Amino acid sequence: MEHSDHSPGTDACAELRAQVRELTDEWRDAGRYVPRSDSWLRSFDLEFSKELAARGLIAMTYPKEFGGGGRTNVERLAVTEELLRAGAPVAAHWIGDRQIGPAVLRHGTRELQEEIVPKIASGEAVFCLGMSEPEAGSDLASVRTSAERVEGGWLVNGHKIWTTQAHHATHAYLLARTSREDRKHDGLSEFVLDMDAEGVRVTPIVDLAGEHHFNEVRFENAFVPAHRLIGEVGQGWKQVVEQLSFERGGAERSLSSYPVLVELIAEAARQGDDRELHALLGSLVARLAVLRRLCFEVASAMDAGQAPVQQAAALKYLGNAFEHDVIEALRRTGLCQDPAFDSTFGQALLASPAFGLRGGAAEVLLSLIARQEARS
Amino acid sequence: MSRFADELRSLVDDLAASGRPDLWGSLCDLGLPRVGIDEGSGGSGGSLDDLLVVVEALAGHGIGVPVVEASTADWVLGHARELDGELTTVVLLDRAPRTASGAVTAELTAVPWARDAARLVLCAPGCAPLLVDLRHTSVTVRDVDNIAGEPRDTVILAGTPTVTLDGAPSHEAVRERLALLWSAAVLGAARSAYKLTKAYVSEREQFGAPLLKIPAVSGNLARMRVQLIQADAALALAREAAPLSGAAEIVRITTAAAATEIARIAHQLHGAMGITDEYPLHRLTRRLWSWRDAVASERRWAESLGRRAAGAGETGVWTRITATGR
C-alpha cells in the first residue's frame, strides 16, 4: 500500500492539536466553560477568544502583516476541529475569523484591510452577519436593505433578521442594495458597518431553547464611511457567493452535536454486548471519518488556491445530516428518557433545527450541486 | 492515485469495448489480475493502487469476472510459492476450519467462482492460510449464483488434504485487502450507474423538456453525486490509511451505503426503462446489491467498527480519525 507522504504540515498540526487540548482542558477543568453542542454559535466568551488570539490560534491563515499567522487552511482545520470537539466557547470570533477577515483580505482596499483585519486577529472585533432579511429567506438576492451614496460614504436603511450575536457585535458585515437593476443579482454591494453607529437598533429573537443568540437589526439612515465598502460597488452578489462557498466547508458543519457522540460512545461501552447499538455507532463513526476526510480535502484545495464549491456544499449537506443522526442515535438508548432541558441530549436537540438552515438549507445545497452537474 | 492510472483504465476500457468472448482470458494474458503482486513471485508488479484502478474500471463496465478473488488469492499464494496459470479463489472464514492431520472437513457457502477455479485459499483468524485443491475427489461443488448471476458456490470438503501456506499474509491483512478491492468495485459500478442515469434524464423528454429540468429529478441526481463524493473520499482515506485501524470498516460501510442509495435513485429516475433485461442499468445495480455485502455484510462491518469505537473511547476514536489526512 502506498503511504501518504509526510507533508511539512504533519508535525505542525499535531503540535497545534496538543496546544488547543491543553488550553481547553485547562479552562474546562477550572470551570471556566462547560462543553456544549453548537458552541460555535451559542457559546460566547470574548475572554476565551482573546486568549486564542494571543496564542495565534485565530486569524491563522491571514498574512502576518495584518496580525495573522500565515499558516495553511489544513493547519487551521486542526485547530477548529479540536475547539469544536471540546465544545469550547468560540462564538465571539468564529464568524469574523472564518468569513469576514478572508472576504476583506480578498476584496477590501488596503485601508480597510489595515483597519479591520488586525482587529479580527486580536479578537477585538466581534462580527455579525447582516445577510438574511424578513422577506428574503434563503433567497439572498431579494435583499431590500439599501445603501444610498452620500457625501463621504453611504446611508443604510433596512431590516435584517436572524443576525447571530448582533447584541455582542462591534461590527456588522452588511449586504445591501446600492442600485435597482433588472436582474436582482445585480446592484448589491458589501460593507463593514460599526454596530455603535447612530441609527442601528438591535432587538432580540429568543429561540425555542429560550436562549438569545439571534436578533433583528434595523438601520435608519445609518452612516457607513466610503472606505468601508468591500470590493466593487454592484459586485456584492459575486463576492458573497464566493464567501458562502468558503463558509460551508468547515468542520463546524459536522461537529455541532459532537458532545452527543461522546455520550453515545460512552453508552456503547457501558452496554458492552448491545450489537444493535454497536452497529449504529459504527456507521456513525464511519460517516464522521469520511466527513473529516472531506474537510481535509476542502482545506487542502483551498491551500492550493482552488474554490471547492461542490465539495464544500456536499460536505455541508452530509455533515448536517450526520449532526441530526447523532442526536437521533442517542434517542435509541435509555439516555433520552425525560431528557433534562440542559442535558447534552436536550441542548443538542433544541439547537438542531438550525443545523440545516444556516449557510444554505439542504434543498438549496442540492440544487447548487445539481446546477454544477448539469454544466459538467 | 497511481502513476499508471490513466493507462490501466484505458486498457480496460478498450478490452471491454472490444466485446471479446473470453474477456477473462484476455485480462489474464495481459497480466491485469496480477497487478499489485511482485514480479519475483509471478505477478505483474505495480502497487495495490494500480490494482484498484483495474478493479474499479472493470466494475464500471458491469463486467463479472473473478478479478477481486483471483488477485487476492494469488497475492496470498505468491508469498508462499511461485504462481502458475491456474485460477485460484479465496474465502474468509470466521474461525479456523476443522482439520485432522492436515485434512479439512467443512461445508463452505458463497465460495466465489469455485466451479471455475482449480484451487481455493482458506483464510481464518489465528492461523496460516490453507490451500485446497478443488479438483480433489473429496471435494463437491454445488453451483449457486448471487443476485448478480455470479458464481457463489457451495463447496463441501470431506477430509480434503490441505497445504499450509507459511509466510503468507494474515487473515486481517487479507480482510483489509478484500475490503479495499470490493469498495473499489462498488465505486466503479456506482459511478457508471450515476453516469447512465445522468445521461438518461438529460436526454429523455417529458412534458416538453428533459427530465433533468424537473427539480425533484435534479435533486435526486445531486443526491447520487453526493454519495459518490463521499465514497471517493472513503476510498482515498482507506488507501492512505495504513496506520488507521478501522479503515476497512469505514470504506466498506461508506461504499455500501452509497451503493444502496445510488441503486435506489438510479432505478427511480429511469422509470420502467431501468427494469428491463435489455437496458444496461441492471448489470450495474444487481452488482451493487451483491457487492455491497460481499465477504461481510455492511451490518457486520458496522458492528465491528462500533465495538472497536466503544473499546477505544472518544479519545481513541478521535485520535484515530484525525491521524490521517492530517
Side-chain angles (χ1 to χ4, degrees):
Chain A
M1 184 179 290
E2 278 180 10
H3 292 247
S4 54
D5 61 331
H6 284 260
S7 60
T10 314
D11 292 343
C13 284
E15 208 173 291
L16 285 164
R17 286 182 192 279
Q19 214 182 322
V20 176
R21 284 174 202 175
E22 195 187 321
L23 178 65
T24 52
D25 285 354
E26 188 188 311
W27 276 57
R28 192 180 42 226
D29 294 348
R32 297 178 78 178
Y33 84 91
V34 177
R36 58 167 302 169
S37 280
D38 215 18
S39 69
W40 61 279
L41 194 134
R42 292 167 176 267
S43 204
F44 189 101
D45 187 336
L46 197 55
E47 229 179 300
F48 186 73
S49 292
K50 285 189 171 166
E51 177 79 50
L52 287 174
R55 294 172 186 232
L57 297 176
I58 65 177
M60 288 175 62
T61 61
Y62 303 1
K64 286 187 172 162
E65 58 171 321
F66 298 119
R71 287 177 177 264
T72 64
N73 284 288
V74 169
E75 287 169 324
R76 178 176 182 272
L77 175 65
V79 169
T80 56
E81 281 181 335
E82 292 298 330
L83 288 168
L84 294 166
R85 174 199 180 207
V90 292
H93 71 272
W94 202 264
I95 302 291
D97 178 31
R98 174 182 76 185
Q99 230 162 316
I100 306 308
V104 170
L105 284 166
R106 271 198 306 280
H107 298 294
T109 59
R110 178 85 198 180
E111 186 187 4
L112 186 62
Q113 289 171 348
E114 283 173 354
E115 182 193 358
I116 296 296
V117 179
K119 283 188 185 155
I120 294 177
S122 64
E124 272 171 83
V126 175
F127 263 88
C128 61
L129 289 181
M131 289 198 195
S132 300
E133 295 194 5
E135 304 300 321
S138 276
D139 182 12
L140 268 188
S142 301
V143 158
R144 288 182 187 176
T145 294
S146 67
E148 190 192 336
R149 207 189 283 265
V150 293
E151 168 132 27
W154 305 79
L155 273 192
V156 176
N157 282 284
H159 183 182
K160 296 285 176 182
I161 194 166
W162 311 124
T163 317
T164 307
Q165 306 298 358
H167 54 307
H168 292 306
T170 56
H171 297 74
Y173 156 90
L174 187 79
L175 183 65
R177 193 159 287 290
T178 39
S179 64
R180 301 272 156 207
E181 306 283 345
D182 290 341
R183 287 182 70 248
K184 64 180 181 178
H185 294 112
D186 293 334
L188 293 168
S189 303
E190 297 182 299
F191 298 92
V192 172
L193 188 140
D194 286 329
M195 286 302 282
D196 60 7
E198 223 171 293
V200 179
R201 189 155 55 90
V202 177
T203 48
I205 299 172
V206 175
D207 71 11
L208 76 173
E211 295 176 7
H212 171 205
H213 308 289
F214 302 118
N215 301 274
E216 294 192 54
V217 185
R218 289 181 174 77
F219 306 100
E220 282 163 35
N221 289 327
F223 179 72
V224 185
H227 77 277
R228 290 290 192 83
L229 172 79
I230 308 177
E232 310 256 331
V233 177
Q235 292 299 302
W237 178 253
K238 194 172 153 278
Q239 292 171 200
V240 80
V241 165
E242 185 185 68
Q243 192 197 118
L244 285 171
S245 79
F246 284 101
E247 176 205 327
R248 287 187 179 122
E252 66 268 46
R253 304 305 183 177
S254 317
L255 297 177
S256 297
S257 58
Y258 191 77
V260 177
L261 186 69
V262 176
E263 287 219 0
L264 193 69
I265 293 171
E267 181 65 9
R270 277 192 295 271
Q271 310 288 331
D273 53 356
D274 188 338
R275 294 173 59 190
E276 193 71 38
L277 186 56
H278 282 153
L280 191 58
L281 176 62
S283 60
L284 288 170
V285 168
R287 286 165 68 186
L288 177 62
V290 174
L291 285 165
R292 207 265 130 194
R293 169 77 192 195
L294 279 170
C295 278
F296 168 73
E297 287 180 2
V298 166
S300 304
M302 283 164 67
D303 283 332
Q306 299 155 1
V309 178
Q310 190 181 57
Q311 258 198 332
L315 173 56
K316 176 167 155 33
Y317 176 83
L318 291 165
N320 288 162
F322 171 79
E323 292 175 333
H324 282 284
D325 290 348
V326 167
I327 299 171
E328 205 47 40
L330 197 67
R331 250 192 84 211
R332 308 271 186 93
T333 72
L335 292 182
C336 69
Q337 274 167 24
D338 271 332
F341 197 81
D342 62 350
S343 62
T344 306
F345 176 81
Q347 255 185 9
L349 185 63
L350 291 169
S352 67
F355 297 171
L357 301 177
R358 55 200 182 202
E363 304 308 319
V364 175
L365 296 170
L366 285 178
S367 77
L368 191 152
I369 293 164
R371 270 205 306 279
Q372 285 210 328
E373 284 304 287
R375 277 198 295 267
S376 69
Chain B
M1 196 34 74
S2 151
R3 274 195 299 143
F4 307 108
D6 292 339
E7 232 169 285
L8 286 167
R9 205 172 286 124
S10 59
L11 196 56
V12 171
D13 289 346
D14 290 348
L15 271 176
S18 71
R20 291 187 205 195
D22 181 19
L23 184 69
W24 178 246
S26 307
L27 289 166
C28 290
D29 289 347
L30 289 167
L32 288 175
R34 286 182 178 169
V35 165
I37 301 172
D38 279 353
E39 288 177 70
S41 50
S44 306
S47 65
L48 176 58
D49 274 351
D50 298 322
L51 180 61
L52 291 171
V53 172
V54 172
V55 168
E56 193 180 324
L58 281 167
H61 291 282
I63 292 168
V65 287
V67 62
V68 171
E69 299 84 356
S71 71
T72 306
D74 284 350
W75 175 67
V76 175
L77 205 52
H79 282 81
R81 57 160 79 174
E82 187 151 351
L83 299 175
D84 54 29
E86 299 273 26
L87 177 66
T88 309
T89 188
V90 63
V91 283
L92 271 192
L93 303 175
D94 290 339
R95 60 176 71 90
R98 200 149 54 87
T99 54
S101 52
V104 173
T105 298
E107 181 172 328
L108 310 171
T109 54
V111 179
W113 309 89
R115 72 190 76 159
D116 302 305
R119 289 176 304 229
L120 168 65
V121 170
L122 299 177
C123 294
C127 58
L130 299 175
L131 184 66
V132 174
D133 176 5
L134 285 174
R135 290 169 184 163
H136 192 267
T137 50
S138 62
V139 178
T140 311
V141 175
R142 286 198 201 123
D143 293 3
V144 181
D145 289 354
N146 68 9
I147 51 179
E150 298 168 333
R152 294 292 184 272
D153 301 326
T154 299
V155 173
I156 297 159
L157 307 175
T160 307
T162 62
V163 176
T164 303
L165 298 173
D166 290 318
S170 68
H171 172 266
E172 186 61 23
V174 176
R175 179 174 169 272
E176 279 172 14
R177 193 171 175 102
L178 282 171
L180 263 178
L181 291 168
W182 278 122
S183 296
V186 167
L187 187 54
R191 204 187 303 284
S192 290
Y194 170 74
K195 283 184 187 159
L196 200 59
T197 307
K198 185 180 162 187
Y200 181 79
V201 298
S202 307
E203 286 157 15
R204 167 94 174 152
E205 296 203 348
Q206 275 195 3
F207 312 114
L211 285 172
L212 189 56
K213 294 283 176 200
I214 301 171
V217 170
S218 64
N220 267 323
L221 200 66
R223 283 193 177 87
M224 292 174 90
R225 179 73 225 163
V226 165
Q227 289 299 326
L228 280 181
I229 290 173
Q230 198 175 14
D232 269 328
L235 192 62
L237 181 154
R239 278 177 39 235
E240 293 171 14
L244 175 71
S245 64
E249 278 89 351
I250 290 166
V251 71
R252 282 301 268 154
I253 293 165
T254 309
T255 53
T260 305
E261 182 82 340
I262 285 174
R264 183 184 71 75
I265 301 176
H267 279 287
Q268 183 67 30
L269 294 188
H270 270 90
M273 179 57 83
I275 59 177
T276 64
D277 179 56
E278 197 184 322
Y279 190 77
L281 180 64
H282 72 94
R283 283 212 292 276
L284 299 163
T285 53
R286 289 193 298 137
R287 291 195 161 84
L288 287 174
W289 290 323
S290 304
W291 295 350
R292 64 185 171 175
D293 290 322
V295 181
S297 67
E298 180 186 352
R299 160 79 192 216
R300 283 190 53 198
W301 291 109
E303 261 180 47
S304 146
L305 185 60
R307 203 167 39 245
R308 221 190 269 248
E314 186 274 329
T315 307
V317 170
W318 180 262
T319 312
R320 281 177 203 178
I321 285 175
T322 53
T324 62
R326 267 80 60 191

